[in-house]
Amino acid sequence: MARINPAVIARLGLPLAAEGVVVTAAEALAARAGFQPGDILMRLNGETVASPADVARMAAGGGRRWQVDLVRAGRLIRLRFRI
């Protein structure tokens, strides 16, 4: 994942107004959970995601059930899964 900036927008073909955190690659568990490169993370378990550090902090907090709100190709999508 990466903070969205002009280089990331160009590389992943994101909308120019995109901001926040984007999935740059989805392998192993992330791919099985449904993440795809270009997904823009909005909320994890109800908390707003503003930086990759937010995602790392939330992931370190643990929990077996996850709810992720993201934007994919302009559509809001909610992923739910257990680890």
Side-chain angles (χ1 to χ4, degrees):
M1 80 192 92
R3 183 179 295 270
I4 296 174
N5 60 45
V8 171
I9 288 172
R11 183 167 48 101
L12 295 175
L14 300 175
L16 293 176
E19 54 184 44
V21 178
V22 66
V23 174
T24 56
E27 301 172 0
L29 181 59
R32 286 194 312 264
F35 291 100
Q36 297 179 11
D39 288 347
I40 300 171
L41 304 179
M42 306 302 289
R43 297 176 71 78
L44 274 83
N45 293 336
E47 290 188 52
T48 300
V49 174
S51 71
D54 289 343
V55 177
R57 177 183 50 79
M58 292 174 199
R64 295 189 47 80
R65 295 179 188 260
W66 288 81
Q67 177 175 299
V68 181
D69 295 329
L70 57 89
V71 174
R72 178 181 296 155
R75 294 183 51 214
L76 183 59
I77 296 174
R78 177 169 284 164
L79 300 178
R80 292 182 180 144
F81 54 92
R82 291 189 311 182
I83 300 176

